[in-house]
Amino acid sequence: MLFKYEIEKFLEEDLGYNDVSCKLVPERNVEAMIFTKEKCTLAGIDIAISLFDHFGLQYNSEHSNGDTISKGDTIFHIKGSSIAILRTERLALNFLGHLCGIATNTKKCVDIARNYSDTVKIACTRKTTPGLRKYEKMAVVAGGGDTHRFNLSDTVMIKDNHVKMMGVDGAIISAKEKASFTQKIEVEVESADDAIKATKAGADIIMLDNMKPSEIIDIVDFIKTLTLTNHPIIEISGGIDINNLEEYAKTGADVISMGSLIHKSRWIDVSMEIIASNITD
Amino acid sequence: MLFKYEIEKFLEEDLGYNDVSCKLVPERNVEAMIFTKEKCTLAGIDIAISLFDHFGLQYNSEHSNGDTISKGDTIFHIKGSSIAILRTERLALNFLGHLCGIATNTKKCVDIARNYSDTVKIACTRKTTPGLRKYEKMAVVAGGGDTHRFNLSDTVMIKDNHVKMMGVDGAIISAKEKASFTQKIEVEVESADDAIKATKAGADIIMLDNMKPSEIIDIVDFIKTLTLTNHPIIEISGGIDINNLEEYAKTGADVISMGSLIHKSRWIDVSMEIIASNITD
Amino acid sequence: MLFKYEIEKFLEEDLGYNDVSCKLVPERNVEAMIFTKEKCTLAGIDIAISLFDHFGLQYNSEHSNGDTISKGDTIFHIKGSSIAILRTERLALNFLGHLCGIATNTKKCVDIARNYSDTVKIACTRKTTPGLRKYEKMAVVAGGGDTHRFNLSDTVMIKDNHVKMMGVDGAIISAKEKASFTQKIEVEVESADDAIKATKAGADIIMLDNMKPSEIIDIVDFIKTLTLTNHPIIEISGGIDINNLEEYAKTGADVISMGSLIHKSRWIDVSMEIIASNITD
Amino acid sequence: MLFKYEIEKFLEEDLGYNDVSCKLVPERNVEAMIFTKEKCTLAGIDIAISLFDHFGLQYNSEHSNGDTISKGDTIFHIKGSSIAILRTERLALNFLGHLCGIATNTKKCVDIARNYSDTVKIACTRKTTPGLRKYEKMAVVAGGGDTHRFNLSDTVMIKDNHVKMMGVDGAIISAKEKASFTQKIEVEVESADDAIKATKAGADIIMLDNMKPSEIIDIVDFIKTLTLTNHPIIEISGGIDINNLEEYAKTGADVISMGSLIHKSRWIDVSMEIIASNITD
Amino acid sequence: MLFKYEIEKFLEEDLGYNDVSCKLVPERNVEAMIFTKEKCTLAGIDIAISLFDHFGLQYNSEHSNGDTISKGDTIFHIKGSSIAILRTERLALNFLGHLCGIATNTKKCVDIARNYSDTVKIACTRKTTPGLRKYEKMAVVAGGGDTHRFNLSDTVMIKDNHVKMMGVDGAIISAKEKASFTQKIEVEVESADDAIKATKAGADIIMLDNMKPSEIIDIVDFIKTLTLTNHPIIEISGGIDINNLEEYAKTGADVISMGSLIHKSRWIDVSMEIIASNITD
Amino acid sequence: MLFKYEIEKFLEEDLGYNDVSCKLVPERNVEAMIFTKEKCTLAGIDIAISLFDHFGLQYNSEHSNGDTISKGDTIFHIKGSSIAILRTERLALNFLGHLCGIATNTKKCVDIARNYSDTVKIACTRKTTPGLRKYEKMAVVAGGGDTHRFNLSDTVMIKDNHVKMMGVDGAIISAKEKASFTQKIEVEVESADDAIKATKAGADIIMLDNMKPSEIIDIVDFIKTLTLTNHPIIEISGGIDINNLEEYAKTGADVISMGSLIHKSRWIDVSMEIIASNITD
């Protein structure tokens, strides 16, 4: 969801105060289409629609966020004032290009992981472009991924320096006291021992950070053998991207976190073309 | 320059309202460093400094925007409250990772172009991440690139549909009437004929869009033979990235515009490490 | 944490554009104290400090959020410009009065519940004063309570109309697919049967809404007898306030949610008094 | 009046960025009603309507701000998208609950005072919840009360420390010089002598702060006997609430100021119920 | 008072995102002075100081708002970074030029009126530049004028169409019911008869709109002969400016309202000069 | 273009929180017209329309920005709710009065200059009312003038202190390196010598600051005799207003910059009159 005040702020950045070129020719009623120049998974459809609504443009689309479409496919047909369409163009394409890039990268990673597991989740992290986190995380969702926590106040994350000062048990006890019952508690561990301690102390999520696939497999297997009253989620993280994902997907971890879903994505080449001028509505 | 109200908006996105993990251990005075895990060209140094100032952190750095540094090099030493440092970390790294990525990509492209021309400019476009244009364009500058126009109201751009309706001459005459004398007038052309017409009609910048290098060379050469009272800047654009830049750099164009400087950049892997705790200031 | 832009917005509401009364007498250096006229549990100490900092006032306090203090106790000593102190006064007292009211109400409820359980959590809800949720939830924490989820996007809540359309199992399966692994899934149930179904389907939290204490006890006891791989948290809710809390505290539920912590709280009577004028700093 | 940018800020607080539960079932067209679970005086009707308009919901109501309605009475019938209604619900109810609480408390106080005087005004103060002053003061108006001044720049208030430094006369003379002719000048006095001095010096409003009813009666009576060219309004204030109002209402004062109208109000229990699903509009 | 967020918004308008000219020469420590090129009455001193503080500049001034200074007089000496001073310059001068223009125009009008009356007030109106009302009204105060009401919600204004529908008495009775006791009630009248009716009905202020001086004199004289328990303030308004003020100043009215104080003011020519470079602080 | 969030901010300034006078009489459907009391050139038509749209008012106008109309001419007919019209009135008139004042002043200056040159441009400067630059510059355009640069980051301006430190040539070389190819480079010179140096060094615009007409003529003539590959634009500036414009218009300069277009403009007297009440739409 893009609030109206957000739309105006984004437009202000691109329009400036005196767009001379839109005054060179008279305003007309035109029809345009937005299409992709490469296969991609869609995201940002809702944001583009908010922009069209802002400018009073008519639109239709056969696609939704999450659809994978082919090179040349049309994403939107739009109709309306030529000036409004030109003012929408760059912002709509910048959102679609960036967000479809994230969704497409995510979808590819999810597909790779599905070869090895029906349930493993591919999650992004807090490595997001400043100011755009909510849009980028929703693009990850469109690609079949998991948002992970939104900010520092969502899930409680116990890090290595907490563990150093308080021990795994101490840190988890303290976190349970201070956290809300609605929050999960995640512990970042660097050894099998700590993973097991955290499991026994009742962590909801155990994050194995920067471990080799073989180490991960050992820990996952061991934890599965434990008789537990709760089953922690095993998350792995650290330097994983589309190129090395396969070996991590085999480990049996429940969640694979990849900052690279967002920061190694690249924009999809989407474009707008005016297909008819002076149409009668 | 990052205004204070902007810093607070960016922080609000990342902090949420109740960061439990920072309450698990007592606040201490710590020392940390931010370093790069790969060779890169720096950008966003000023933004990181604004963040440190916001949190009252001490910092020093031996580097400036535009410096190219090596894998492992330290970008900043910082000192201050452990909670403040943890709250700064993610936002500072997200800015540095993203902006150094753009600067590094730009620097590489500039270096490639310099093999063929001492003066050709490598410019970005309006394909920027919504809300971040000013930061991204300054990262292009840090990498040795050119910002191009900031928004629709800067330089007047005459596009193909203007030309279709009014002719090259008519469009330029109209633009000169409506534009400020402080604005340059740029014409997008698709043929040698139109390029020459635009030159004669007094365009400041002629943009050859989506042409092959050989076509570009012909037009550039022809325009150089003309006796003119003004010398238009020849800009080329359309699908140029670091992989095919070389063949465009040879064409003799004055400016090469590449949306890919930004939208095909990828983040540099910068990281923060706490190197001392409970230091006395 | 009160951002600087928030402070200015709050001040703007109270100051207006031309505060004549502060011009009647010359600016002096004064000393004042803020004290309570009734026993209370403190909250908003951090907010008052942000205000003092904004105006460059010196302050000290022997108390922290969560401390219970007696009638007449001093909360802050402050020193500085008489005009700055008068401009701080109303806003600081309004925050302290309102937030200490919530903390005090919460603390009383927590104390009642502790008579029956060492672990039961007393939580607030989304019934908060518009625009002030983060301050009010932190006041609940200061009083020993639990924040519950912050907004609709935190914890996933399955409500009765979801259950009607999809069944308990169906709704939980759908929620697990759509939610992040970092989110807990809570199900609102109205019968023992549904509580058990939800438990078996893997809900993290089961909310018994508007049930009588005797019904709650039956369900809590039954769920405890189940052999489960996960132990859902049992939350109860619906019309509970400080007057009827006791009978709910006896039920064995894990969490008691009370909108009344906030919406039936009343302000604590805190006041400011200038104790010395024309002091030398 | 609730500006559109205000609505969006309030909604942002409650919605977050990814409301999973609204995605569990398909969007439908539903009908709902908002009703009260207890007798109350209405306020915030206009604010609820602004919210409905924001979401494109149809609504009708037989009631207006200021109406007193009975337990079970319907405040609004609304129709529209199930998702839109769920997103409106909490914010609309939080506003209605809080503001009807204030209006109801005010109405009760006004009714008590009417037993003793046809003209005495019951006014609120600047003790308002930060950020919500305009809504809360309008709720006081809905309950038949008086807004008092909105902020420090409205009416000029001469306080005890002004009087100490300049004398009653001096302070009033200074205030008349510095104030606009559109502003009233109010003087806070603590003795009959000062009340009379202020009256003679031309104060528009005399505020008797923290006096006993018997003292107030003496001063009111005395001032009435004076031959004056202006008749100051006598306001009384200080620790007055619904429980002790009666004795103050008998004093003959023109205005009774009660911070407690707002800060001792408690929310009215208003609720929403979906009464039909999949309706055809 | 200029809030920090306001300063940043104003600066953003003038700076843009990439001020190349400040990069042409190295940053130095410089000293500058701001002086006036014509006699003027000062306003906006406080605003300039807020700007200097924002940029960390040192400053001193021998003058205050309201002082009348001569051609060539220095308003401020400032010291600091050359870049900071250049960024402050235009905004500081624009505020000073505009606001001193208003203060100077006001001062001249007040001086003219003082020839005929020691007490008549010269007031501005709601004809103010959008977004700048609070600064402009304070400039009127600096020039010795009266702010009049700040907005539609301050003083209640009964206009001709109210009078047409309800009669003077009816309108005043209704206004007294609906207004706060802290608000004055002003009635706009167009005849002597209505002026008298309004006086008798208890209006606080009577505004004679668009009347000739001779008509005004008759009404003022007549009202003075009445035996009243309250003395309404007589305000006159309508097309009065510095050129025709004299004849209105003789009428005996209490207040002369002049939109022209602001909308016929012209900027004072204030300028900045750098007087020393590379100073040591 | 006036963004919706801007409209609301401007309205907030004028409305306050409780506009009592609009409650005195019932809401009706009325018709009004906005007309001018003096001959003027129109500006701000688009802004008034944004306001009418905000309040759902119907409107029509036979005029556009830039039209010169006569005393008594109607600018708008509007229809709608009496309350909405009263709330629009002051803000619409304040914008129209101020902006038509600027457009009218500009038009007169352009007309004077046209007696001597068909091409000379009359431009405003950065001397604009803080916060209103974009509206004021567009009013200059409506009057036939030129906007000049919008802010410090548009055109690069080389000032005297740059020249002092680096020489004319050095400064221009540095500016060309640091500026974007889309930016023009302007040099402020104080002598014929420097004007010629700047011309030869490739400045796009040469600004002759504070020179006498005779000096300007000499330099303009000399530069015309040069054989150049580029023809710089000659701009003149410094203390030029409508009274002395004529002698500068004769100099042959290409652009005459006049801060006075804005800061010596005065408001046009536009007014609104309600012409029919209780109309049926």
Side-chain angles (χ1 to χ4, degrees), chain D residues 121 146 179-181 184 229, chain E residues 121 146 155 179-181 184 229:
Chain D
K121 295 201 170 197
D146 187 294
S180 168
F181 74 98
K184 289 192 176 174
T229 54
Chain E
K121 296 203 169 195
D146 188 295
T155 301
S180 168
F181 74 97
K184 290 192 176 175
T229 53

Side-chain angles (χ1 to χ4, degrees), chain A:
Chain A
M1 187 167 42
L2 193 61
F3 283 109
K4 283 164 195 159
Y5 82 87
E6 295 175 302
I7 291 175
E8 297 199 334
K9 285 290 169 194
F10 285 125
L11 280 172
E12 213 167 17
E13 182 189 53
D14 191 44
L15 300 187
Y17 82 111
N18 182 23
D19 174 7
V20 171
S21 56
C22 80
K23 299 176 187 169
L24 297 181
V25 292
E27 195 161 3
R28 292 160 298 147
N29 204 23
V30 304
E31 188 176 344
M33 62 180 202
I34 293 177
F35 62 99
T36 180
K37 293 184 169 173
E38 52 186 320
K39 185 182 173 190
C40 69
T41 299
L42 292 173
I45 293 294
D46 50 326
I47 290 175
I49 287 173
S50 296
L51 286 169
F52 302 151
D53 283 343
H54 176 85
F55 278 112
L57 299 172
Q58 291 176 274
Y59 60 87
N60 65 57
S61 176
E62 292 171 14
H63 301 295
S64 308
N65 285 336
D67 290 359
T68 297
I69 62 173
S70 304
K71 179 176 175 174
D73 281 357
T74 298
I75 306 176
F76 284 106
H77 269 93
I78 49 181
K79 277 187 202 175
S81 140
S82 55
I83 290 177
I85 284 181
L86 289 171
R87 287 185 170 165
T88 311
E89 180 181 7
R90 189 71 266 136
L91 183 54
L93 295 183
N94 284 354
F95 262 122
L96 289 170
H98 180 53
L99 299 181
C100 292
I102 293 169
T104 302
N105 191 30
T106 303
K107 182 66 164 56
K108 284 180 189 164
C109 291
V110 170
D111 287 348
I112 288 169
R114 281 293 160 274
N115 292 329
Y116 303 94
S117 162
D118 288 347
T119 57
V120 63
K121 296 201 169 196
I122 301 299
C124 59
T125 68
R126 280 169 51 239
K127 290 189 187 171
T128 59
T129 318
L132 295 177
R133 185 170 288 169
K134 68 178 176 178
Y135 312 113
E136 292 179 339
K137 291 212 173 223
M138 294 316 290
V140 165
V141 169
D146 188 295
T147 59
H148 212 301
R149 64 174 178 164
F150 188 67
N151 60 32
L152 286 173
S153 299
D154 271 8
T155 301
V156 180
M157 183 82 82
I158 296 172
K159 297 239 174 186
D160 54 350
N161 53 356
H162 297 122
V163 169
K164 272 181 215 158
M165 291 186 66
M166 314 175 72
V168 169
D169 285 26
I172 292 177
I173 288 164
S174 172
K176 288 200 166 183
E177 271 170 30
K178 295 197 165 64
S180 168
F181 74 96
T182 62
Q183 291 179 291
K184 289 192 176 175
I185 292 169
E186 173 159 7
V187 187
E188 192 180 306
V189 298
E190 293 175 334
S191 70
D193 265 13
D194 279 354
I196 292 157
K197 275 190 205 157
T199 300
K200 291 186 174 163
D204 295 294
I205 306 166
I206 294 187
M207 200 238 259
L208 311 180
D209 199 23
N210 285 314
M211 290 190 189
K212 290 182 193 159
S214 59
E215 294 174 289
I216 295 166
I217 289 169
D218 288 350
I219 293 174
V220 169
D221 286 351
F222 185 84
I223 288 174
K224 284 186 182 158
T225 65
L226 297 174
T227 307
L228 292 166
T229 54
N230 78 319
H231 291 267
I233 294 165
I234 309 290
E235 177 187 351
I236 56 177
S237 183
I240 309 175
D241 65 20
I242 197 169
N243 297 314
N244 62 14
L245 172 59
E246 200 163 4
E247 48 182 328
Y248 290 94
K250 295 174 182 168
T251 59
D254 300 305
V255 179
I256 303 173
S257 290
M258 303 166 66
S260 66
L261 291 185
I262 288 167
H263 68 64
K264 287 194 180 165
S265 68
R266 58 161 193 74
W267 291 28
I268 294 299
D269 193 356
V270 288
S271 193
M272 193 178 89
E273 197 165 296
I274 292 184
I275 53 180
S277 291
N278 279 325
I279 57 170
T280 53
D281 189 27

Side-chain angles (χ1 to χ4, degrees), chain F residues 4-271:
Chain F
K4 284 163 196 160
Y5 82 88
E6 294 175 302
I7 291 176
E8 297 198 334
K9 284 293 168 191
F10 286 125
L11 281 171
E12 213 167 18
E13 182 189 54
D14 191 44
L15 300 185
Y17 82 110
N18 182 22
D19 173 8
V20 170
S21 57
C22 80
K23 301 177 185 168
L24 297 181
V25 292
E27 194 161 5
R28 291 159 300 147
N29 204 22
V30 304
E31 187 177 342
M33 61 178 201
I34 294 179
F35 62 101
T36 179
K37 293 183 169 174
E38 51 186 320
K39 185 182 172 191
C40 68
T41 299
L42 292 173
I45 294 294
D46 49 325
I47 290 175
I49 287 174
S50 295
L51 285 169
F52 303 151
D53 283 342
H54 176 85
F55 278 113
L57 298 172
Q58 291 175 274
Y59 61 87
N60 65 56
S61 176
E62 294 171 13
H63 301 296
S64 308
N65 286 334
D67 289 0
T68 296
I69 63 173
S70 303
K71 179 175 174 176
D73 281 357
T74 298
I75 306 175
F76 284 107
H77 269 94
I78 50 180
K79 276 187 201 174
S81 140
S82 54
I83 290 177
I85 284 181
L86 290 170
R87 288 186 170 165
T88 310
E89 179 182 7
R90 191 70 266 135
L91 183 54
L93 296 182
N94 284 355
F95 262 121
L96 288 170
H98 180 52
L99 298 181
C100 293
I102 292 169
T104 302
N105 192 29
T106 302
K107 182 66 165 56
K108 284 179 189 165
C109 292
V110 169
D111 288 348
I112 288 169
R114 282 292 161 271
N115 293 328
Y116 303 95
S117 162
D118 287 346
T119 57
V120 64
K121 296 201 169 197
I122 301 299
C124 58
T125 67
R126 280 167 51 238
K127 289 190 186 171
T128 58
T129 318
L132 295 177
R133 184 170 289 169
K134 67 178 176 178
Y135 312 114
E136 293 180 337
K137 291 212 174 224
M138 294 317 289
V140 166
V141 169
D146 188 295
T147 58
H148 212 302
R149 64 175 179 164
F150 188 68
N151 60 32
L152 287 174
S153 300
D154 271 8
T155 300
V156 180
M157 184 81 84
I158 295 172
K159 299 238 176 188
D160 54 348
N161 53 357
H162 297 122
V163 169
K164 270 179 216 158
M165 291 187 67
M166 313 174 74
V168 169
D169 286 27
I172 292 176
I173 287 164
S174 172
K176 288 199 167 185
E177 272 169 28
K178 294 198 166 63
S180 168
F181 74 97
T182 61
Q183 292 178 293
K184 289 192 177 176
I185 292 170
E186 174 160 6
V187 187
E188 192 179 305
V189 299
E190 293 175 335
S191 70
D193 265 12
D194 278 354
I196 292 157
K197 274 190 206 158
T199 301
K200 290 185 176 163
D204 295 295
I205 307 166
I206 295 188
M207 199 237 260
L208 310 179
D209 199 24
N210 284 315
M211 289 190 189
K212 291 181 192 159
S214 58
E215 294 174 288
I216 295 167
I217 290 169
D218 288 348
I219 294 175
V220 168
D221 286 351
F222 185 82
I223 289 174
K224 281 184 185 161
T225 65
L226 298 175
T227 306
L228 291 166
T229 52
N230 78 317
H231 290 265
I233 294 164
I234 309 289
E235 177 186 351
I236 57 177
S237 182
I240 308 175
D241 65 19
I242 197 168
N243 297 315
N244 61 15
L245 171 60
E246 199 162 6
E247 47 182 331
Y248 290 95
K250 296 172 183 169
T251 58
D254 300 305
V255 179
I256 303 173
S257 290
M258 303 166 65
S260 65
L261 290 186
I262 289 167
H263 68 64
K264 286 195 180 165
S265 69
R266 59 162 193 72
W267 291 28
I268 294 299
D269 193 355
V270 288
S271 192

Side-chain angles (χ1 to χ4, degrees), chain E residues 105-168:
Chain E
N105 191 29
T106 302
K107 182 67 165 53
K108 285 180 189 165
C109 293
V110 169
D111 287 348
I112 288 169
R114 282 293 160 271
N115 293 328
Y116 304 94
S117 164
D118 287 347
T119 57
V120 63
K121 296 203 169 195
I122 301 297
C124 58
T125 68
R126 280 168 52 240
K127 289 189 187 171
T128 59
T129 318
L132 295 177
R133 184 170 289 169
K134 68 178 176 178
Y135 312 114
E136 293 180 337
K137 291 212 173 223
M138 294 316 289
V140 166
V141 169
D146 188 295
T147 58
H148 212 301
R149 65 174 177 163
F150 188 68
N151 60 33
L152 286 172
S153 300
D154 270 8
T155 301
V156 180
M157 183 81 83
I158 295 173
K159 298 239 173 186
D160 54 350
N161 53 355
H162 296 123
V163 170
K164 272 181 214 157
M165 291 187 67
M166 314 174 73
V168 168

Side-chain angles (χ1 to χ4, degrees), chain D residues 200 222-231:
Chain D
K200 291 186 173 162
F222 185 83
I223 288 175
K224 282 184 183 158
T225 67
L226 298 174
T227 306
L228 290 168
T229 54
N230 78 318
H231 291 267

